[in-house]
Amino acid sequence: MTLVFVGTFFAIDFSKVKAADGTAVINFNKVYWGDFLGVGIQWDPQDGSLPEIDSTMWDKVIQRVDFMNAKFARVMINVEDYFNGSTYNWNSVVMQRLYKILDYCQSRGVTVMLGNWWKPSWASSFTDSRFLTAICDLLNYLRNSKGYTCIRYYNFLNEPNGEWMYGENPPDLETRWNNWKDGIIALHNMLSSRGYTNWVQLVGPDTAYQDDWVDRALNNLGSQMGAYEFHIYKDYDSQVYNGEIEATVGAKRNLINSSTQSNKHLWLGELGMKEGKDPIYDCQPRVTTFEYAVVMSDGIAQVIRAGGSGVIPWCLDDAMHLASSDGTLKKWGMWNSLGGKTVGTKTYPISDQNLRPWFYPVSLFSKFFVQGSQVVEVSGPSIPGVRVAAVKKQNGTNWDVSIVVVNNNDSAKSILITAPGVTNTAIFKQYNFFASDQPKDNDGFPLPKMDRVNNLSNGILVDLPSRGVVFLTTLNGGTPVSVSSNLALNKPAYASSTENSNYPPNYAFDGNLNTRWSSAWSDPQWIYVDLGSVQTISRVKLVWEAAYAKQFQIQVSTDNVNWTTVYSNYNGTGGTNDITFTPVNARYVKMYAWQRATQYGYSLWEFEVYQ
């Protein structure tokens, strides 16, 4: 019997664990992205025509953002908010509201992506020098006069591919691309000439729907772009259920990884769902529903699983933007700070100030999938509509871990989560978000449902009785986990041969299951890794491609001259070989094979070594 402790301690029969509907395996040694920016917020200053948020409600906004522990924000304004084509006004209504937001971000260490909604009407083109000079002067004023060092990224234009950027008779897509591209090049040149690129980077393309602009920016603007970001709005929830967000973000991440710009961030600058949207007022009434909260959670989890650097759900507060001159607000937020107020001919109920359902999971994503985390590989579960994502963050010699499990099905699911290599029992705080199970405090903020005391290497069972979300975290009262590291990761590698230059030996030690070593098509062959110093090891993991070894050995050496065999296999079947043996001292670890299972050579996706 395996003991899993939950709150007051009780045992779970292991046979029930065996009955899980699916298994998710976390590989803490496989990092998809090592510098997560966070699940952030879209926090714009209110449009100038809107009434001010009163001080009591503003304090409540600050309290809510503090609870989220948000460390990443997208903040958008217009050039017309501070420059009319000839004169600057740094004290306009919108600018005063912007300073309040930036004051908060500066004081809390929030990374800010500042941006511009559209080209001003007085600018003759996207390369108009007055337009670009105004942007540079704004950045200079905010950083060097106001001291906002929190601004690290600048977004030239919101959704430059959209017809809504041009009004009547918009140009074709190729013209729109050229307009944006030419503007980026000209703006980068001006920022660089002023020396501003040392502290602010251009990001984009910020497109919605034309995802290929990311590819084009990568191929044509690599020296101008400091990072890549785009938007995803899914027309139908079914496109989320089937994993389209993960597939799209993953494809972009892989494309960047395979380029010379693999160190650059990729994030979603906006994420939202369009099913049920009001097309006239650009509003989403579903933000008040439990189902919207779950589908958004699924989308966020997919971005993380795909190795995205961050994601910003659209948006924080209805009170930011006017949808119509009659006073209709753009209803997309997690609350409405103008609840109880009259805007134009519209009076909003005081209850609009209350938190909406999707604040619950989004705040936990923001709070626990923290900036500086490493996004790790999660394999499975192979259940439609069920998603598991995980991150780790260094805590001394151990790791704080946060895991999310999303069930986007009406039926109950039980998921067994395991993490080979975890060596200790840790305390996880579990938070539940189901239609009838959402523990909250008096402010409506999430509370933990229970403690889970568990060694993840043995597996932890997560029950999802219906559609909903579960978070497990060692943060905020939990205890960190200890993980046995892959000693061979990114260490020098050597092989008897390679099939060609596309499959070098170091690809077997890079932690990437999309790259591999492949040998010549003959016997025998070998591949070994230099750990850098003598280590005590007792485990080797081989992940074979289709071309595997029928007969092979694991050999070790301390001097690269004298080799000792610690494991032999005379009937290999490929797949993944997780091999353990009596602990031994070794600096060099070799896979030596003398009989192929196929007509091809030997090919390994990964070769891992553990203590």
Side-chain angles (χ1 to χ4, degrees):
M1 181 168 62
T2 296
L3 297 181
V4 180
F5 296 104
V6 183
T8 54
F9 298 159
F10 62 91
I12 293 179
D13 191 302
F14 189 70
S15 64
K16 293 182 180 179
V17 176
K18 291 264 189 182
D21 297 302
T23 300
V25 180
I26 301 173
N27 182 358
F28 284 122
N29 287 296
K30 172 65 182 295
V31 174
Y32 277 163
W33 186 254
D35 184 20
F36 192 59
L37 287 169
V39 176
I41 54 176
Q42 178 78 34
W43 198 4
D44 303 321
Q46 293 174 273
D47 295 340
S49 60
L50 288 171
E52 198 74 31
I53 297 173
D54 64 46
S55 60
T56 300
M57 189 61 208
W58 180 256
D59 289 343
K60 190 173 290 187
V61 171
I62 297 302
Q63 180 193 26
R64 291 169 175 181
V65 178
D66 274 345
F67 176 82
M68 298 175 76
N69 194 33
K71 297 299 181 187
F72 186 35
R74 181 175 183 260
V75 183
M76 300 289 288
I77 61 172
N78 284 308
V79 169
E80 291 100 328
D81 294 326
Y82 58 91
F83 185 65
N84 63 11
S86 60
T87 306
Y88 288 102
N89 181 4
W90 302 121
N91 293 308
S92 70
V93 171
V94 172
M95 292 303 290
Q96 293 294 334
R97 293 170 176 177
L98 173 67
Y99 303 149
K100 290 174 67 176
I101 294 171
L102 294 180
D103 284 343
Y104 177 92
C105 293
Q106 185 69 25
S107 67
R108 303 299 202 277
V110 179
T111 298
V112 173
M113 169 178 53
L114 186 67
N116 181 57
W117 284 116
W118 52 67
K119 179 177 72 67
S121 58
W122 46 257
S124 60
S125 71
F126 290 81
T127 58
D128 187 311
S129 62
R130 290 183 303 159
F131 177 25
L132 304 182
T133 298
I135 292 172
C136 291
D137 287 350
L138 170 72
L139 290 169
N140 176 59
Y141 179 76
L142 292 177
R143 181 179 176 94
N144 297 319
S145 296
K146 299 289 288 185
Y148 295 130
T149 57
C150 56
I151 300 170
R152 289 175 46 195
Y153 302 104
Y154 189 80
N155 174 26
F156 177 44
L157 287 172
N158 173 71
E159 299 181 352
N161 62 305
E163 293 180 2
W164 49 91
M165 288 291 293
Y166 291 92
E168 294 184 8
N169 302 315
D172 60 35
L173 274 173
E174 193 62 22
T175 300
R176 297 176 212 173
W177 158 260
N178 285 321
N179 286 342
W180 178 77
K181 174 178 67 72
D182 292 346
I184 283 286
I185 293 171
L187 178 57
H188 183 270
N189 288 341
M190 189 175 289
L191 289 168
S192 181
S193 69
R194 293 189 178 200
Y196 296 174
T197 52
N198 294 326
W199 48 265
V200 67
Q201 297 179 333
L202 289 179
V203 299
D206 205 67
T207 49
Y209 295 101
Q210 267 69 49
D211 301 338
D212 64 300
W213 281 34
V214 177
D215 311 33
R216 299 182 74 174
L218 180 71
N219 293 327
N220 294 279
L221 298 167
S223 60
Q224 286 85 17
M225 302 304 297
Y228 297 93
E229 59 84 33
F230 65 112
H231 302 174
I232 289 181
Y233 285 89
K234 283 303 177 186
D235 294 310
Y236 303 102
D237 292 356
S238 60
Q239 296 171 305
V240 182
Y241 302 154
N242 66 16
E244 287 187 17
I245 292 175
E246 182 173 348
T248 299
V249 176
K252 302 306 176 190
R253 182 71 263 173
N254 289 337
L255 185 68
I256 296 170
N257 286 349
S258 64
S259 74
T260 58
Q261 304 173 58
S262 59
N263 63 326
K264 291 184 178 180
H265 285 292
L266 169 76
W267 66 78
L268 286 192
E270 292 182 20
L271 172 66
M273 307 301 159
K274 290 187 68 177
E275 185 170 315
K277 175 191 168 187
D278 179 344
I280 296 175
Y281 292 108
D282 187 17
C283 294
Q284 179 50 279
R286 294 176 65 212
V287 292
T288 62
T289 67
F290 169 79
E291 290 74 18
Y292 190 82
V294 179
V295 76
M296 283 292 287
S297 297
D298 194 351
I300 294 169
Q302 290 185 44
V303 175
I304 297 169
R305 282 176 57 90
S309 304
V311 52
I312 296 175
W314 178 267
C315 63
L316 189 69
D317 189 344
D318 292 355
M320 298 190 306
H321 298 299
L322 195 63
S324 170
S325 59
D326 67 2
T328 301
L329 299 172
K330 286 199 172 186
K331 187 175 184 176
W332 282 92
M334 288 183 262
W335 63 81
N336 175 14
S337 292
L338 292 178
K341 304 284 187 182
T342 297
V343 183
T345 63
K346 302 291 184 179
T347 299
Y348 294 93
I350 190 69
S351 60
D352 260 18
Q353 294 184 4
N354 297 338
L355 293 170
R356 292 169 181 161
W358 69 298
F359 173 85
Y360 197 108
V362 171
S363 68
L364 294 178
F365 271 114
S366 180
K367 196 174 189 69
F368 298 137
F369 286 69
V370 296
Q371 191 167 103
S373 295
Q374 299 179 16
V375 178
V376 295
E377 177 193 61
V378 180
S379 302
S382 300
I383 302 174
V386 176
R387 227 76 58 183
V388 180
V391 296
K392 66 177 184 178
K393 192 173 192 299
Q394 191 116 33
N395 184 341
T397 58
N398 295 322
W399 299 89
D400 276 313
V401 171
S402 294
I403 304 165
V404 64
V405 188
V406 182
N407 180 18
N408 226 331
N409 301 280
D410 289 324
S411 58
K413 303 294 178 186
S414 293
I415 307 300
L416 181 65
I417 299 174
T418 67
V422 172
T423 60
N424 71 317
T425 297
I427 298 174
F428 291 84
K429 297 292 182 179
Q430 178 170 325
Y431 292 76
N432 284 7
F433 179 72
F434 299 97
S436 58
D437 184 12
Q438 303 172 29
K440 302 173 184 175
D441 66 15
N442 292 334
D443 294 310
F445 297 157
L447 289 172
K449 175 75 173 182
M450 64 181 80
D451 287 353
R452 305 294 296 269
V453 182
N454 188 270
N455 185 322
L456 275 177
S457 64
N458 298 326
I460 185 169
L461 186 69
V462 176
D463 287 316
L464 302 111
S466 59
R467 186 180 303 272
V469 189
V470 168
F471 291 86
L472 296 166
T473 183
T474 63
L475 295 167
N476 283 27
T479 57
V481 302
S482 177
V483 180
S484 177
S485 299
N486 174 14
L487 302 174
L489 186 64
N490 295 320
K491 295 296 174 62
Y494 308 88
S496 53
S497 67
T498 56
E499 180 180 350
N500 60 53
S501 60
N502 294 321
Y503 307 108
N506 61 290
Y507 277 4
F509 302 95
D510 65 356
N512 186 346
L513 288 172
N514 296 309
T515 61
R516 60 188 173 95
W517 164 71
S518 187
S519 76
W521 297 7
S522 62
D523 294 318
Q525 300 290 340
W526 49 260
I527 181 173
Y528 75 84
V529 63
D530 179 359
L531 302 180
S533 62
V534 175
Q535 307 277 341
T536 299
I537 66 169
S538 62
R539 177 178 167 226
V540 165
K541 183 178 178 181
L542 303 177
V543 183
W544 294 99
E545 195 253 354
Y548 65 92
K550 184 73 172 176
Q551 298 188 19
F552 69 95
Q553 294 177 334
I554 300 298
Q555 302 175 352
V556 299
S557 173
T558 58
D559 59 8
N560 204 17
V561 176
N562 301 293
W563 293 87
T564 301
T565 299
V566 294
Y567 172 83
S568 299
N569 190 329
Y570 299 99
N571 190 30
T573 57
T576 298
N577 300 143
D578 204 336
I579 301 161
T580 58
F581 43 84
T582 302
V584 62
N585 291 332
R587 173 172 172 172
Y588 306 92
V589 185
K590 177 188 292 183
M591 189 286 297
Y592 178 85
W594 64 91
Q595 183 178 338
R596 289 167 289 152
T598 71
Q599 63 179 315
Y600 307 105
Y602 301 91
S603 187
L604 284 168
W605 293 110
E606 283 299 304
F607 183 157
E608 301 172 0
V609 180
Y610 298 91
Q611 289 183 337

